[in-house]
């Protein structure tokens, strides 16, 4: 029997927790200015899960959603501010920040690096660029 894929994570203060029970999809890096400003990090690692296999499990329920662009909501904990997720309107997947996973080694970003040229020059992730 294959091992069941369960991915759990949450925010820094622990109020917002999540669990995904599905194969991770589209693990990638993004260095766009929105990811950078939203998280404070030079590059974010993202992974997608089907919404149907995803649930918010912490006492804080869902994160606070901020509309960062016309079609995208980004979710943060209202207490500690952790950058947790993004959801596009009408899309059946949720993007989770790999850094919010309890075990970030569970997901390995592949060679896809969106907006790689927008990263600071001193920051050279080993993965290839877009
Ligand atoms: Zn929190
Ligand atoms: Zn981005």
């Amino acid at each position: 029997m294959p091992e069941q894929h369960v991915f759990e994570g949450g925010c820094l203060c622990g109020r917002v927790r999540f669990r995904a029970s599905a194969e991770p999809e589209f693990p990638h890096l993004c260095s766009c200015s929105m990811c950078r400003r939203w998280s404070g990090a030079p590059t974010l690692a993202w992974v997608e899960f089907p919404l149907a296999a995803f649930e918010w499990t912490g006492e804080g329920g869902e994160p606070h959603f901020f509309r960062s662009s016309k079609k995208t909501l980004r979710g943060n904990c209202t207490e500690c501010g952790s950058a947790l997720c993004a959801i596009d309107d009408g899309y059946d997947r949720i993007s989770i920040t790999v850094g919010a996973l309890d075990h970030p080694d569970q997901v390995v970003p592949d060679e896809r690096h969106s907006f790689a040229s927008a990263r600071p020059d001193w920051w050279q992730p080993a993965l290839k660029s877009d």
Side-chain angles (χ1 to χ4, degrees):
M1 286 286 288
E3 198 175 315
Q4 192 186 2
H5 293 269
V6 176
F7 299 82
E8 292 187 285
C11 66
L12 179 58
C13 77
R15 288 188 74 248
V16 180
R17 298 280 305 163
F18 60 81
R19 180 190 301 121
S21 307
E23 290 281 347
E25 300 174 10
F26 190 42
H28 71 285
L29 301 180
C30 186
S31 295
C32 79
S33 62
M34 285 191 290
C35 285
R36 181 165 50 81
R37 289 185 188 281
W38 177 63
S39 68
T43 294
L44 271 182
W46 290 102
V47 62
E48 294 185 3
F49 294 102
L51 278 170
F54 182 88
E55 57 184 336
W56 298 107
T57 56
E59 66 180 50
E62 292 192 355
H64 167 74
F65 285 103
F66 163 72
R67 186 165 290 278
S68 60
S69 65
K70 203 168 184 178
K71 64 165 189 169
T72 303
L73 295 168
R74 292 175 186 249
N76 296 74
C77 174
T78 54
E79 189 68 25
C80 69
S82 289
L84 297 171
C85 69
I87 303 177
D88 284 353
D89 293 344
Y91 190 42
D92 63 356
R93 301 284 191 275
I94 183 169
S95 295
I96 289 293
T97 52
V98 172
L101 293 171
D102 292 341
H103 304 289
D105 274 346
Q106 282 182 297
V107 174
V108 181
D110 62 18
E111 73 280 3
R112 287 170 288 193
H113 187 167
S114 303
F115 300 93
S117 59
R119 76 188 189 286
D121 281 343
W122 50 262
W123 177 240
Q124 303 287 338
L127 305 174
K128 290 176 68 177
S129 73
D130 54 2

